[in-house]
Amino acid sequence: MGATGDPGGYGRLWAPDYDRLFENREDVAVVVAMLSGLLPGRRLLELGVGTGRLAVPLAAGGFTVTGVDASPEMLDRLRDRPGADAVEVVLADFTDLALGRRFDVVLVAFSTLFLLPDQAAQLACLRGARRHLADDGLLVVEAFVPDPARWSGGRQVTVGALDETSAVLRLGTHDPVAQVIRTQDVVLDAGGVALRPNRLRYVWPSELDALAIAAGLRRVARTADWAGRPFDAASTSHVSVYAVADDAPDA
């Protein structure tokens, strides 16, 4: 769910530039190693698979990968990626998913949970993940930790990419009550001016734990990043791992 208010809106707006912007945001080999170390099994479901930035290397690393996304534009780019034939692709809204199968790992990476519009949709996503987990399966959620200090009067202006031919300005607003960040990337180049909006409904780590409990899950691990660094008050991101709660009803 992006700035346009429909599940495929984010991909429609961001797909043309997504790989250029985010392909190298972390060492994917570290992600594959961390998920491989969980060892509940090799059947992996990625919610919000996007262009396959993680899914294709995970498949190459021995996982049987199913990727779900609501954006045809994102999935078209996934299919063009070398090695994409090893990934099963499903076009669907992952807040309302019923594949009729269970997986050893369900992955929600890169703050994708925050693209959902409100707490109810985020809880629906976690409940759907729970339904698709094997009894000993694990849900893995990667997300940023909100930093209210970044905002002055609920607003922020930053400079993104800048070179001799183009510039990107990011304009942002922050609503701390609704926990909503709205951004607008203003891209200036020889082609003119282009706008790339986004909307994030962020979740604090403690709130994510509470939502997980409501979804029939319990947290079993939390690190600051994929490399396993300890999570503490200075952490700007987290990788949280959840198992099916002992008293959770059958999905």
Side-chain angles (χ1 to χ4, degrees):
M1 185 78 68
T4 60
D6 70 276
Y10 178 86
R12 193 173 306 117
L13 292 165
W14 287 81
D17 297 313
Y18 188 88
D19 290 334
R20 177 178 61 81
L21 293 169
F22 303 120
E23 182 73 16
N24 298 313
R25 70 176 296 266
E26 78 260 287
D27 184 349
V28 175
V30 176
V31 180
V32 175
M34 182 274 189
L35 293 172
S36 296
L38 295 176
L39 294 179
R42 309 299 287 182
R43 298 166 299 171
L44 184 142
L45 171 64
E46 184 177 1
L47 304 182
V49 67
T51 66
R53 181 179 63 87
L54 298 179
V56 171
L58 284 165
F63 285 92
T64 301
V65 180
T66 299
V68 176
D69 206 284
S71 168
E73 295 84 0
M74 286 285 200
L75 295 181
D76 283 346
R77 284 162 174 76
L78 188 160
R79 294 184 182 97
D80 289 339
R81 188 182 288 267
D85 290 347
V87 177
E88 178 191 14
V89 173
V90 178
L91 177 64
D93 177 358
F94 61 73
T95 62
D96 184 24
L97 191 63
L99 297 180
R101 287 175 282 152
R102 297 199 180 194
F103 298 82
D104 303 302
V105 178
V106 176
L107 172 64
V108 188
F110 196 16
S111 301
T112 297
L113 185 69
F114 297 176
L115 292 173
L116 301 178
D118 51 38
Q119 188 182 75
Q122 291 163 345
L123 177 56
C125 173
L126 297 184
R127 284 176 170 160
R130 161 68 185 90
R131 288 194 303 272
H132 288 84
L133 277 178
D135 290 341
D136 60 348
L138 297 171
L139 167 66
V140 181
V141 179
E142 177 204 9
F144 68 80
V145 177
D147 180 9
R150 294 176 53 197
W151 303 89
S152 176
R155 288 174 168 76
Q156 183 187 63
V157 178
T158 58
V159 178
L162 179 66
D163 57 32
E164 293 81 1
T165 61
S166 65
V168 177
L169 296 177
R170 170 162 289 185
L171 314 177
T173 63
H174 175 220
D175 180 345
V177 176
Q179 298 175 201
V180 169
I181 295 170
R182 295 180 184 273
T183 62
Q184 182 73 264
D185 279 21
V186 183
V187 184
L188 310 168
D189 57 25
V193 179
L195 301 178
R196 194 164 51 214
N198 197 16
R199 178 189 186 277
L200 298 171
R201 194 275 172 181
Y202 63 81
V203 174
W204 295 95
S206 57
E207 181 186 1
L208 179 60
D209 291 346
L211 289 172
I213 291 170
L217 300 161
R218 58 182 176 87
R219 178 163 60 88
V220 295
R222 172 167 288 144
T223 58
D225 54 26
W226 291 109
R229 294 181 179 88
F231 180 81
D232 58 28
S235 299
T236 59
S237 64
H238 65 95
V239 177
S240 299
V241 182
Y242 299 90
V244 177
D246 294 337
D247 58 351
D250 291 338

